[in-house]
Amino acid sequence: MNAPASGGAPTSHLYIHVPFCVRKCRYCAFYSVEAADEGLMDRFVTCVATELGSRRGPALETVYLGGGTPSLLGAARIARLLDAVRERSPVSSTCEVTLEVNPETIDRAGLQACRSAGVNRVSIGIQSFVDSNLEWLGRIHDAHRGRQAVEDSLSLGLRTSIDLIYGLPGQSVRAWEEELVNASGCGTDHISAYELTWEPGTPLYRERVQEGRATVGGRIVRRSMGERFFFATHETLERLGFEGYEVSSFARRTQDRSRHNLATWAHRPYRGVGPAAHSYVVDGSGHRRTWNRPELAAWLEALERGARPPADSELLSPEQLLMERVMLGLRCREGIDLEACRAECGETAVERLLERASAMCAAGAVELRGRSPGDRASVRVVPTLKGMALADRLALELCD
Amino acid sequence: MERIRNFSIIAHIDHGKTSLSDCILRRTGAIPPRETRALLLDSMDLERERGITIKSSAVTMDHVGPDGEKYLLNLIDTPGHVDFSYEVSRALAGCEGAVLVIDASQGVQAQTLANMYKAMELDLEIIPVVNKIDLPNLDIDRVLRQIKEELGLDPAGAILCSAKTGAGIDQVLDAIVTRVPPPRGRVENPLKALIFDSHYDPYRGAIVYVRVVEGSVRAGDRLRVMSTGRTALVEEVGHFRLKNRPMARISAGEVGYIISGIKAVGETPIGDTITSDEQPADGPLPGFVEAKPVVFSSVYPVNTDDFEELSDALAKLALNDASLHYQKESSSALGTGYRVGFLGLLHAEITQERLEREYNLSLFVTAPSVQYRITMKGGEVRLIDNPAHYPDPGEIAGAEELYIKASMIMPDEYLGAVMKLCMDRRGTNLRHSYVSPGRVDLMVEIPLAEVIFDFYDCLKSLTRGYGSFDYEILEFRPGQLVKLDIKVNGEAVDTLSMLLHRDRAEGRARAICLKLKEEIPRHQFRIAIQGAIGGKIIARETVSAVRKDVTAKCYGGDITRKRKLLEKQKEGKKRMRSFGQVNIPQKAFFAVLRRHEE
Ligand SMILES: Nc1nc2c(ncn2[C@@H]2O[C@H](COP(=O)(O)OP(=O)(O)O)[C@@H](O)[C@H]2O)c(=O)[nH]1
Ligand code: SF4
């Protein structure tokens, strides 16, 4: 399926996928290519501008430069990208502009230049504060470099988030809790803590799943302890003053939350540009998800000849919309917005959902919260931590 | 009548019965040279695939004998599996002679003997025929010696032939004319016609295959089925040619068909006698036994909406299969279905396949069970094949189970292993005798319940495929019967309950609990799986609770993939049956109840 004319749908959230990395990490399934030269990166920036189109859009609330390794572009190209964005849509000082950063690819001066270009939030791919873990993951940086990047970012007054991975073979829950203490200690105001997943297409997956090896990268793989890690993460970070506002996202204060991610989880439309970028478009034709194919060359080629990049899309049925809202809502402390569900999927579907949710309350998996007691219209289905951990099956039960 | 010969061809499987029939039919011009056997004998797909004949049929041929006279040869085909041993004997009862086919390269085998004994009991003239003599490196003398020593027949009377090349076929035909005696019986007597088969035709109703023993029958007569007294107007009689050929009448000594007002084949049971309503015979022909199912399974449509279709299909099958007995039942796990009785395992399997293939149904068939005879304290006797009908054990005075007499022929080196298998399966009265040097026939009395699962498979693997198996039903004997319940979180899953011997209960319970543990996905709570006899728990497993299943990441780019995964799981959930709070995937029932699983 080819994407219909989606270019101009007005959204206030923009995602730009930067598909370059110095070297692929062993666990990573994001789309990116290695060893990009200057010329290729220049072409990429130009093409992003082309894909953004010439239509003027509404003021942006969030811009997110993700990847890949956006910091690899260098401050000058990042500035060009953000200029291109501003040419089309107003970007106010309250707009959240996030840059994903690999500690090895940027220094304080670079960060400072990015800040001048408009970046106000940095998400640093730390992954671990233990060198042997970083090596096992195939990261290019070491723990020292990681700490340095956090310090630089904080000292420049940038909102700072770090990514961490848990559940590595050989990692104990206790060692992980220590890392969390380290993370908190370095002053970051946001942590994204993920369980390691064995994604198809990655070297880890090949060794573990396809080749069925018992030892991967010199470490023995045991039965997953994801459950214990998950609860330990939430409990430890809470103790350290973070709120787990999503399955893997933790913020010190409400204003430290990632507004960009919250928007996607709240099912708000967003626009994605760059190869492999996804968009969620709501317009006269309905609710659509579209995604550019993960092919840099084809993407460049199309845009350079003035054509639309190859993409696929799907139109969501009311049931699918509900399923998405429920599955995303149960991942977040904010829960499921029933008012929005009602508008999109109809009263009966919501009533049924509410009935099932009430049954779950007894089991302590969710709570029903209204703006005021007895106000049924504003009720949200909010997961407890227990419910959040079971979000997948609860979503199935609610949408049955 | 002097020029009629009624005969059958009997053989161990694969020795060439079908090929030889074909060859004879072609030689006599009964079927044109290019037609295949699919046209006449062995006409069902399933039969051909399995290489067995399910139902007997018959065909009439013209043949000029060595004396230059024209003869009418009636070939009555017999089914070739132990499940149909009664049908075989009824088909043979319609004949005066039998051609006993022996593969030149294999020699005498278990079924060679079993079939010959059946033919001998009925006093048939037996013509041994050594087939496949075109094969290289044969030791024909050895086969002839076996004919003398193991069958007790005169090897001088054996005919060597090849159904492949046609060599020796004329000699076979001549021997049928000269050695098989002509039928006896008197046309003037009241009608006695032996039913040896019948099939259902959607336009004509039951087409009944008979051997007229006494008297004659013509269209317009009123017939009576002797066991039931059912009467009907005869619409057509005739001979079996390439197609049915109507005749004015069929008389004593002849083989033919009768079409009457009777629709379902169940009303013309095999072995029964048809007589004239106006001038009835004084009594029926000997040997009639009502076909009784010995193996029972429950059959449910996988998709509960298909129940009506299953009902229809069973009704249609029963029109053509007198031995198919079924009764509606319902299960909380599987919905509404039927309890079906079969003559044996093969019959059960074939029926399932026909339902699935010919009626396009997707079915769930429970493990087969046998029937138990239960005597209540009040003296009442009940036959029970369904655990759901098992009475309160306190009310039971005694239980009995059906025994069979099994006969297994094998090279003697395997005797020890097979004897052990029989003992493990509660076999008693083991006896063995040498049928020839190096080959023994092991006879054992053993509960039917012990052989319906995987006994035959075990036998084959123990004897590397050289062991044959044949059985006949003996009688009910006392047995220690218990009802095993499988409970999931305290609630009994009715479909998984079973009746079995006390000694088997624990092992089976353990195996089932373990299987269920593998098949039931983790829930938000712990699931206890238990095997229980009455209130006593004899096996237990636990499925631990899942506390987390959410995936770590779900960014904009992951949403579509994630939703599709959930949609797929939702689809999968439809195929779950919920028990109390526990969702059991349907495939768990399959895994637990599947045949050949112990
Ligand atoms: N070489 C040879 N093969 C034969 C002969 N008769 C039958 N066969 C083969 O033996 C196998 C079994 O024959 P079939 O007639 O189906 O045996 P049935 O099971 O007794 O009906 C088939 O593969 C036949 O082709 C024969 O005279 N010579
Ligand atoms: S984890 Fe980040 S740096 Fe590593 S390959 Fe993936 S996108 Fe690139």
Short mmCIF file of all heavy atoms in Angstrom, two decimals, chain B residues 112 138 163 433 556:
data_model
loop_
_atom_site.label_atom_id
_atom_site.label_comp_id
_atom_site.label_asym_id
_atom_site.label_seq_id
_atom_site.Cartn_x
_atom_site.Cartn_y
_atom_site.Cartn_z
N THR B 112 -3.41 -64.80 7.08
CA THR B 112 -3.62 -65.96 6.23
C THR B 112 -4.29 -67.05 7.05
O THR B 112 -5.30 -67.63 6.66
CB THR B 112 -2.26 -66.51 5.71
OG1 THR B 112 -1.43 -65.43 5.33
CG2 THR B 112 -2.47 -67.45 4.54
N LEU B 138 12.63 -66.19 -5.42
CA LEU B 138 11.59 -66.73 -4.55
C LEU B 138 11.96 -68.13 -4.09
O LEU B 138 12.65 -68.86 -4.77
CB LEU B 138 10.26 -66.79 -5.31
CG LEU B 138 9.64 -65.46 -5.68
CD1 LEU B 138 8.44 -65.67 -6.59
CD2 LEU B 138 9.26 -64.67 -4.44
N ALA B 163 -0.77 -61.91 -10.25
CA ALA B 163 -1.83 -60.95 -10.58
C ALA B 163 -1.26 -59.84 -11.43
O ALA B 163 -1.98 -59.09 -12.07
CB ALA B 163 -2.45 -60.40 -9.31
N SER B 433 2.13 -71.14 20.75
CA SER B 433 2.43 -72.39 20.05
C SER B 433 3.19 -72.02 18.78
O SER B 433 3.05 -70.91 18.27
CB SER B 433 1.13 -73.10 19.70
OG SER B 433 0.33 -72.26 18.90
N GLY B 556 6.25 5.33 19.12
CA GLY B 556 5.39 5.53 17.96
C GLY B 556 5.58 4.45 16.91
O GLY B 556 4.62 3.94 16.34
#
